[in-house]
Amino acid sequence: MKIFVQRGRRRRLPASLLLLLCLVLAAASFGFPTQLAATGSRISVVQAVSQEVPPIFRFQEASAPVTLEDFAQSNIEKLSEQAPFKEWASAKPQYYPLGPGTHGWLVNVMNGKQRIGYMIISAAEDGGYVLSEYGAGTYGLPYSLSELHRLLVQQGLISSTYSGTLELTALYAPLLPVWKLKIDGKLLFIDAAAPQILPWTLSQADNALKNTTVSVEDVTSKKATVPHTAYRTGGTDDPYADLLWLTSPKLAVKDADSFTAEIAPGVSLVFQAAGRNDLFGAPFTITGYQSWLPAEKTGDAKTALYAATGAGGKRYLPLSVLIQSGTLHKLPGNRTASFN
């Protein structure tokens, strides 16, 4: 408390003035940017007040094959019946080709001008399509132009009002969305899921991105599947919050059943690919899952399972690709599980 000195005596600040100061502070706190208040400590003040992206940060929407559009629309309709995808019911898709080549497509799920989710659909060898990943939310999703812009400003590569020239290409390899950026004579490869500059040379990038293999065990256009309600464990979504998982043995997960037996309430799993984490955006946590069951039960019908990963568990990745690409480790916790 501030003390005033007058004629050798100390006098406390008047109660009425104290009350006025409290009201001013309270008003300031309520006036804090709503985006920061809504999303928690993951978004800084700089991020909250700097959301404008220069017009040069764009990549071109394109016409997709009718068969791909049909598959995408079918998935949107199915997912919109379950939380956290119910807002998709009246949404419209936008299509963007993903390189190298045109092996995949980014499908942004739009509510007017706001993105409320996404899917990545890849071409399969049998001529059909595979749902490579998907997620719901308005922030923290792959291929965010505002997050790319913010990263480049924070790294000192451009100013916040940069208006020069750049060449931006969206690429995809299993589990790894990538930006390829040519700017001011520099060639950069950037993790487009959790924005950070990848330590790749051109040859390293070519090797990393040449893997376009997809799994027919996942949701495909060749078989009818139905998504069930997404499950969340309530465990931590930060792999660096507790590094005890580094000392835990890899889990013997080989299919959906063995996976769901390990991911109990309050527990997080951590995915890593030792020595190759940069190829998969690892390590990251798994805090839930969504199962897709066959529409018709037959003898060889299998459940396709997608693991909820990353900040807030917004990004759903195919368990089959996680098993093929790395190892899973258990990180204990004590939060509350939920279906949402």
Side-chain angles (χ1 to χ4, degrees):
M1 182 180 295
K2 190 172 183 179
I3 303 295
F4 291 90
V5 179
Q6 184 177 17
R7 296 180 182 177
R9 296 175 58 191
R10 297 194 303 176
R11 186 174 66 183
R12 293 182 180 274
L13 207 59
S16 59
L17 184 54
L18 278 174
L19 177 61
L20 178 62
L21 286 173
C22 290
L23 290 173
V24 170
L25 290 172
S29 66
F30 284 118
F32 203 68
T34 55
Q35 182 172 4
L36 181 58
T39 57
S41 60
R42 292 185 183 280
I43 294 185
S44 69
V45 175
V46 173
Q47 293 169 325
V49 300
S50 179
Q51 297 298 320
E52 293 299 320
V53 179
I56 58 169
F57 281 83
R58 298 287 184 269
F59 65 120
Q60 189 64 41
E61 186 178 357
S63 296
V66 173
T67 50
L68 184 141
E69 290 186 358
D70 290 342
F71 180 54
Q73 189 61 46
S74 174
N75 289 330
I76 290 173
E77 291 173 1
K78 291 176 182 178
L79 284 166
S80 68
E81 296 180 3
Q82 307 288 345
F85 305 96
K86 290 190 174 182
E87 291 185 4
W88 290 20
S90 57
K92 302 296 182 183
Q94 293 179 346
Y95 299 91
Y96 301 86
L98 298 174
T102 312
H103 296 287
W105 291 78
L106 168 66
V107 183
N108 279 340
V109 182
M110 306 295 294
N111 179 11
K113 294 183 178 181
Q114 183 179 46
R115 181 164 73 150
I116 59 173
Y118 81 102
M119 296 182 291
I120 293 177
I121 295 175
S122 302
E125 292 182 356
D126 62 3
Y129 298 101
V130 174
L131 181 59
S132 291
E133 61 176 85
Y134 61 97
T138 57
Y139 69 94
L141 301 180
Y143 299 112
S144 167
L145 290 165
S146 60
E147 291 182 9
L148 171 64
H149 175 250
R150 188 178 301 127
L151 173 72
L152 297 178
V153 172
Q154 290 174 343
Q155 294 292 322
L157 294 167
I158 63 171
S159 68
S160 59
T161 56
Y162 180 80
S163 59
T165 58
L166 57 81
E167 182 180 335
L168 184 63
T169 307
L171 306 173
Y172 187 73
L175 307 182
L176 186 64
V178 173
W179 290 118
K180 178 182 178 182
L181 176 66
K182 294 180 180 179
I183 182 170
D184 294 337
K186 301 184 181 72
L187 176 61
L188 301 174
F189 293 92
I190 298 168
D191 183 336
Q196 58 183 324
I197 297 173
L198 295 165
W200 290 354
T201 63
L202 180 58
S203 61
Q204 288 173 321
D206 289 341
N207 288 332
L209 295 165
K210 69 182 180 182
N211 178 19
T212 57
T213 303
V214 294
S215 173
V216 294
E217 297 178 14
D218 304 324
V219 175
T220 76
S221 59
K222 297 288 187 177
K223 59 186 180 184
T225 51
V226 180
H228 281 214
T229 303
Y231 171 75
R232 295 286 303 282
T233 68
T236 179
D237 59 8
D238 183 358
Y240 301 104
D242 187 340
L243 296 177
L244 285 177
W245 63 267
L246 287 168
T247 63
S248 66
K250 68 178 182 180
L251 300 175
V253 173
K254 62 182 185 299
D255 54 25
D257 289 339
S258 56
F259 173 84
T260 54
E262 296 287 357
I263 190 160
V267 170
S268 301
L269 305 184
V270 179
F271 170 84
Q272 73 159 343
R276 302 179 302 139
N277 276 335
D278 61 313
L279 301 182
F280 304 104
F284 52 76
T285 55
I286 296 171
T287 53
Y289 62 88
Q290 185 169 36
S291 298
W292 293 66
L293 275 61
E296 297 182 2
K297 294 184 178 180
T298 60
D300 59 348
K302 293 183 178 180
T303 297
L305 190 144
Y306 288 74
T309 71
K314 295 184 180 71
R315 187 178 171 214
Y316 288 80
L317 301 177
L319 176 65
S320 61
V321 180
L322 294 172
I323 292 172
Q324 294 169 12
S325 305
T327 57
L328 298 175
H329 304 262
K330 185 172 290 187
L331 178 61
N334 55 8
R335 298 189 185 181
T336 303
S338 65
F339 287 89
N340 58 10

